[in-house]
Structure formats: structure tokens, C-alpha cells
Amino acid sequence: MVVDGLVLTLLTLVFVVAQIVSHRWIKKVTNCYLFWVIIGAFWFIWLCVFRFGPDWTRHADATITNPGGYEDSIIISKAFLLDVCPFAGLAMCFSLMVDPSRKAARALSPIALIGGLITVASLAFDETNNARLTAQFIFIGDPENDGMKCYFILHFLQVVLSVGVMLNTPRNGWKGALATFGTIMGYYCYVAIVMAATGCRWNVSGLNLNDWSPDGEYHFVSEIFNIPVKACPYIGIPFLVLVGCGIVALKDYVFDRGWFAYGNAYSKRWYLWYDYNRYVVQKWI
């Protein structure tokens, strides 16, 4: 329902704002590696049990006769994580468990944040999303609808984990943007290889025109922006890359050098935040 979807979208935004506002008071906890190990391990296991485990089992039991067809392509796509959102969500949880530096999670954060925000926001407008303001839908999804398993919690995690990782990792300048660019390109290379090997043609993160067609997962791009379907991959994918790298720059040059970096040291002297950020804006202009 649209109303339930709107409430879930607002809850996500409120949680993100709370993360940002409370950051300077809880950063001693959120900068601890053990904190991220617990978070990453719990949600990695949760998603494997309720979302990805059934997808992998279904692929193992299925007889693929038409890999280019919609039904078989969906089975292949879910098994090999060819959709960027499931890949980013699961990969981020795993990286938080095994990488104390959080460099891998930091590189994944921009694409996870973009995909998560778009999907969560769509709950407020899509009348066919079957969103429900219930604990079952929030944490497990709709067991009867294969496409809605852990639908909300997966994208919610992408958003909040991305914001949390970016708030708690040091500034990395152009190297961070380069790492994000390499991560996106590396993932698309992986998807292209699996597509060539399996013949999958649907739900492949926009690498095939089917994803941008009226029946595809990105159909809204052509409809909302009035872009020809054939042009969508050449606009949508570069846009993802540019926005992803732009998020890294925004984090580095606004949050790390602005309110957070300066405000943490002078939390009681609010006028210094104003003076410093005014200096940053003037410098940009």
C-alpha cells in the first residue's frame, strides 16, 4: 500500500538523519571494529537465511531451458547476484566482517546508498509494491512473493550501513573516488561475464535493454524522464558512476572538512561551525 510504503520511506530518512546528528556522540562505538563485525555478521546470516539461501537452492533445483527468457533469467540473476542492490547489500555485510579498515565497504557505499535510496523511495509511490507496515514485511518481506523477500530490510540496510560507513571512515580524497569507480566497473565486468556464460538477459543491473523496457526493473527511467529505451543504458550507467564518485567527494569535502570535523572539536561553539562552513562555501565559489 502507498501509505505503508510512505511511512517506511519516512522511517528510513528519520533513521539516517538520526545517524548523522548523533554521530559525534556515538563515534567511539561506531569506530570500533567489533561493532561492525557484529552488525555485518548478523545481517549477513539473516539475509542468507531469508533471502539468498532460497534463491541459491531454487537455482540448484531448477532446470534452465531458456536462459534468455524472463523466468529463467530471474533465477540465474538472483543466484549470481547480477542485480546491483542484492550484491551491494550482501557484499557490504560480508566486508564489514572481514575488513577492519572498512575500505571495501567504503568503496561499496556510494552504489549501495544510491540503489537503496531509490528503492526505498519508490515504496512511497508505487501502488503495486505490496508494502505493509508489519514486522513480517519489514524484516522478512512477503514469503509468498519471490520478488519481495527481505525487500525492505535489504535496501534499508544498504542506506543505513552506507551512511554509517561513510561517517566512520577517514577522508580519502581522489583515491576514494577511484576506488568507487573501480568497484562499479569491476562489478559490471563480472555481470557481463556471467551474462556471456549463462545467456541471462533480464535483471542484469541495466546491461541489457530488457531491464529498461516496460517489463524491466528500471522501466521508470524511460517513463519519468521521457528517455528512449535504447538510450537508457548509455545515460543511466554513467549517471550511476558519476553520482557514486560525487558522493565520495561530498563526504570528503563537506562532512570531513565541515560541520563534523570542525564541530566535533568545538561542539559548544556553534558560531565556529558557521564561520568555517561559510569559508568553505566562499572557497568553492
Side-chain angles (χ1 to χ4, degrees):
M1 296 177 65
V2 174
V3 174
D4 290 355
L6 177 60
V7 173
L8 292 174
T9 301
L10 293 176
L11 285 176
T12 303
L13 296 178
V14 168
F15 197 96
V16 169
V17 172
Q19 280 182 283
I20 297 173
V21 171
S22 64
H23 169 63
R24 68 178 184 270
W25 291 294
I26 64 173
K27 63 179 181 178
K28 289 185 178 180
V29 175
T30 56
N31 276 327
C32 176
Y33 173 48
L34 181 61
F35 171 82
W36 293 107
V37 170
I38 295 172
I39 295 294
F42 178 83
W43 289 113
F44 181 83
I45 294 171
W46 185 278
L47 292 174
C48 284
V49 170
F50 292 106
R51 167 67 189 266
F52 298 107
D55 290 341
W56 294 328
T57 301
R58 183 184 178 192
H59 179 265
D61 296 338
T63 301
I64 304 297
T65 58
N66 181 23
Y70 182 80
E71 294 296 333
D72 285 349
S73 283
I74 294 298
I75 295 175
I76 296 171
S77 173
K78 290 187 175 183
F80 289 96
L81 302 178
L82 301 186
D83 185 3
V84 66
C85 283
F87 164 78
L90 193 65
M92 179 166 288
C93 290
F94 180 77
S95 69
L96 290 174
M97 292 190 295
V98 301
D99 179 18
S101 69
R102 297 191 293 275
K103 290 182 179 179
R106 180 175 58 194
L108 284 164
S109 291
I111 56 174
L113 180 62
I114 296 169
L117 280 176
I118 292 175
T119 303
V120 170
S122 71
L123 293 175
F125 305 100
D126 188 357
E127 296 183 358
T128 64
N129 60 51
N130 299 314
R132 295 291 185 271
L133 195 59
T134 63
Q136 180 180 10
F137 180 82
I138 290 173
F139 293 104
I140 299 177
D142 185 354
E144 303 300 324
N145 187 339
D146 188 63
M148 298 296 286
K149 291 178 180 177
C150 290
Y151 186 82
F152 174 74
I153 195 63
L154 172 65
H155 297 94
F156 174 83
L157 285 174
Q158 287 180 231
V159 174
V160 299
L161 290 181
S162 298
V163 173
V165 167
M166 287 190 288
L167 287 173
N168 291 279
T169 50
R171 183 171 55 86
N172 205 26
W174 63 269
K175 292 181 180 179
L178 186 62
T180 295
F181 176 80
T183 300
I184 297 174
M185 291 297 100
Y187 174 70
Y188 272 112
C189 287
Y190 162 75
V191 174
I193 292 171
V194 176
M195 286 175 61
T198 63
C200 181
R201 294 295 181 268
W202 289 86
N203 214 41
V204 288
S205 298
L207 283 186
N208 192 282
L209 285 176
N210 289 336
D211 285 349
W212 308 92
S213 68
D215 295 325
E217 61 176 336
Y218 304 136
H219 64 90
F220 62 89
V221 174
S222 177
E223 297 171 359
I224 294 176
F225 298 103
N226 196 27
I227 301 173
V229 172
K230 291 184 178 180
C232 285
Y234 304 103
I235 297 175
I237 295 176
F239 178 79
L240 173 65
V241 175
L242 290 173
V243 173
C245 295
I247 289 174
V248 176
L250 179 68
K251 184 262 177 184
D252 284 351
Y253 294 102
V254 175
F255 289 106
D256 283 354
R257 294 186 178 184
W259 190 85
F260 291 95
Y262 209 73
N264 287 341
Y266 299 95
S267 59
K268 294 182 179 180
R269 298 170 65 181
W270 58 269
Y271 56 87
L272 290 178
W273 305 344
Y274 170 76
D275 289 341
Y276 183 82
N277 285 285
R278 184 178 61 177
Y279 164 75
V280 172
V281 172
Q282 289 174 345
K283 186 177 179 181
W284 283 354
I285 295 175

